[in-house]
Amino acid sequence: MPRLTRRQRMFVNCAPFNDARIDDRAMRAAVFRVRKADEFAHQRAFDRAIAAVAEATPIPDEVTEWLSKGTFVAAPRRTWKQMLRNPVVAAIGIAVLVIAGILVFKLVDRLNQFPGEVKARHLLGVAASAKSVLLDPVKTEAGSLGDYFFMKHRLPHYDVPAEFAELKTLGCRAFDDEEGDRVGQIWIVDKRMQFFLFPAERDAKTGAIKHFAGWRYVDQDRWTGVVREQNGVCFMAAVRGGEKDLAPYIAKAKE
Amino acid sequence: MLGDAAKALAVFDAVMHDAALRAAAGEVPKDRLWLFRDARDRCLETSEAGLQPEEMELEAHAIDPNATAQIAKLEPQQLAIWISAAPDPQRSALALFYLDEFSHEEILAIADLKTPELAKLLGNARQQFQAWLNACIPHDDHIEELPA
């Protein structure tokens, strides 16, 4: 007899000698394992011989007329538990769960997207490679640079939001990005943070500005930015790190 | 279960009578095996009323490869008596198992057993029955001759 677990031995011991009566998967597997073993063959032959004698028991006709199991027993119903144990159902269930997970992930990702996200990611790449020597040295409070951009570069509404307005600057500049949009860049002393101001995304057909409310996070290559749109201009504070590095500034504003 | 055809017929009649009454009253239980459970309960009640087999420790022998030849010499009545003399729930397990009408889950449901219990009862019964066969129906010479 092949080596069996206690559970398998138990199933083999009470396995019906008629394979058609085995409707339990674990029992069928246990029987399959021992099907060629002599010991099991003897057990089955023994059981079948006894069943043959039992079948030869004379039964009165009045009983025989009624004695059909099908008359008295309804077909067994498949329970949810049994269905879940079926490998095919389990495999389909797991596949559906994985697909549902991916859909939920995509949906959440889509919900977190905002107009101008692509440009914001691109500017995080600019922040990662920027050198302070490229900027015009301007040491002041970030909030006062709105006038500077307007007066020097004719960029209206390029204002730093109140949440970041008090931070000290090292320098700033205005440049054209790959799409020809004017971008304002400010270098901050605190945490080597950088600010970017750029035109909000517009609808390709109507030219209308695509507004969005509140602060939105975006990350790229270990840099994280927090973006807000106001008056058709997006402001992004970028820092090398995670959301936790920027969250205190935004939380301060909410208080 | 009873080892007595007359008693068995009486139980059968009682079960069918009760089933007909229930069906007429629309009170058939939801349990799909209720009729067999009822029959078993009535058999146990009936057997408790009659003579009880003496409780004794039975010998147990491993299943003999030539046991089928020994069993073939048995009369159905002898087998019925042996099974009906077994203590319950072993008796119920044997009767239901060798009827070849039920899956093991159905046997468990009717006899109110768990799989390990059923396995133990059947395993012990086979060995005890083999010991009884060895005592009552010894091997013929030609049976003992195994093929080379």
Side-chain angles (χ1 to χ4, degrees):
Chain A
M1 188 85 94
R3 187 172 289 178
L4 298 173
T5 62
R6 182 181 287 187
R7 184 176 153 81
Q8 284 173 325
R9 180 161 287 281
M10 177 183 79
F11 278 132
V12 166
N13 247 345
C14 61
F17 46 88
N18 181 348
D19 282 337
R21 303 267 174 247
I22 303 179
D23 56 7
D24 183 284
R25 189 171 289 108
M27 179 177 279
R28 200 176 296 132
V31 167
F32 185 79
R33 260 182 81 78
V34 297
R35 71 195 187 286
K36 288 178 182 168
D38 288 343
E39 196 181 321
F40 182 66
H42 295 151
Q43 178 187 307
R44 281 220 144 167
F46 184 90
D47 287 342
R48 283 182 180 140
I50 294 180
V53 176
E55 201 179 354
T57 305
I59 301 170
D61 289 343
E62 58 188 287
V63 175
T64 317
E65 285 170 14
W66 289 93
L67 263 187
S68 163
K69 186 189 160 206
T71 314
F72 303 121
V73 185
R77 283 184 197 166
R78 292 206 119 198
T79 62
W80 278 104
K81 215 173 171 184
Q82 284 172 318
M83 283 178 73
L84 288 175
R85 280 183 192 159
N86 186 322
V88 176
V89 176
I92 292 170
I94 290 167
V96 168
L97 282 177
V98 170
I99 292 168
I102 291 169
L103 288 177
V104 169
F105 177 77
K106 292 239 173 202
L107 183 69
V108 170
D109 196 40
R110 179 67 65 87
L111 288 174
N112 287 333
Q113 281 180 353
F114 57 91
E117 186 180 345
V118 175
K119 181 168 283 192
R121 284 185 196 282
H122 173 70
L123 291 173
L124 284 176
V126 172
S129 60
K131 301 268 190 292
S132 59
V133 290
L134 295 172
L135 310 175
D136 303 330
V138 179
K139 294 190 176 176
T140 181
E141 285 190 348
S144 62
L145 288 180
D147 293 338
Y148 173 84
F149 282 119
F150 182 65
M151 300 293 285
K152 188 174 179 184
H153 301 289
R154 300 191 178 195
L155 295 170
H157 304 306
Y158 274 44
D159 300 318
V160 174
E163 291 88 333
F164 296 92
E166 291 175 2
L167 298 177
K168 301 292 182 194
T169 66
L170 276 174
C172 67
R173 68 165 176 157
F175 63 95
D176 292 335
D177 69 0
E178 291 168 346
E179 293 166 10
D181 290 326
R182 296 289 282 164
V183 178
Q185 183 179 10
I186 304 167
W187 197 292
I188 301 296
V189 176
D190 192 21
K191 293 184 181 176
R192 316 279 294 170
M193 197 184 289
Q194 292 178 48
F195 294 160
F196 291 89
L197 293 142
F198 53 95
E201 193 174 308
R202 289 175 182 273
D203 188 286
K205 287 181 183 171
T206 63
I209 293 168
K210 291 181 180 175
H211 295 285
F212 63 91
W215 292 97
R216 303 295 180 94
Y217 283 102
V218 61
D219 55 68
Q220 173 93 0
D221 294 337
R222 287 180 286 178
W223 277 74
T224 303
V226 62
V227 186
R228 198 183 80 173
E229 183 272 332
Q230 197 167 25
N231 298 323
V233 175
C234 287
F235 167 84
M236 177 171 74
V239 70
R240 187 182 165 87
E243 290 183 13
K244 65 179 188 325
D245 296 309
L246 291 165
Y249 297 98
I250 300 169
K252 204 192 309 175
K254 282 179 184 168
E255 286 165 11
Chain B
M1 283 289 284
L2 295 166
D4 183 325
K7 283 181 182 175
L9 191 58
V11 168
F12 178 79
D13 287 341
V15 169
M16 295 308 291
H17 179 73
D18 189 45
L21 289 178
R22 284 190 188 201
E27 292 171 356
V28 176
K30 285 184 178 175
D31 175 12
R32 49 187 284 277
L33 298 165
W34 69 273
L35 197 74
F36 294 94
R37 208 193 288 270
D38 186 29
R40 180 207 172 214
D41 290 344
R42 285 173 190 268
C43 284
L44 292 179
E45 271 177 34
T46 305
S47 61
E48 278 168 13
L51 285 172
Q52 299 301 306
E54 190 181 342
E55 278 187 27
M56 56 187 288
E57 191 79 16
L58 292 176
E59 269 190 70
H61 292 177
I63 293 175
D64 193 309
N66 295 317
T68 49
Q70 291 173 287
I71 295 166
K73 291 181 180 175
L74 276 180
E75 289 297 325
Q77 187 61 20
Q78 290 175 290
L79 176 66
I81 289 169
W82 195 90
I83 290 178
S84 63
D88 207 72
Q90 189 178 45
R91 188 190 335 169
S92 299
L94 289 170
L96 294 167
F97 185 77
Y98 288 112
L99 265 181
D100 189 21
E101 288 284 351
F102 304 102
S103 69
H104 104 281
E105 294 281 0
E106 290 171 336
I107 295 174
L108 297 181
I110 297 171
D112 207 12
L113 291 168
K114 300 267 186 287
T115 304
E117 293 170 329
L118 179 66
K120 194 176 174 188
L121 291 173
L122 292 176
N124 289 346
R126 284 189 193 103
Q127 295 187 346
Q128 288 164 356
F129 193 70
Q130 180 66 64
W132 180 77
L133 282 175
N134 291 344
C136 299
I137 308 170
H139 289 294
D140 288 343
D141 288 343
H142 72 273
I143 294 171
E144 286 171 354
E145 280 175 19
L146 294 172

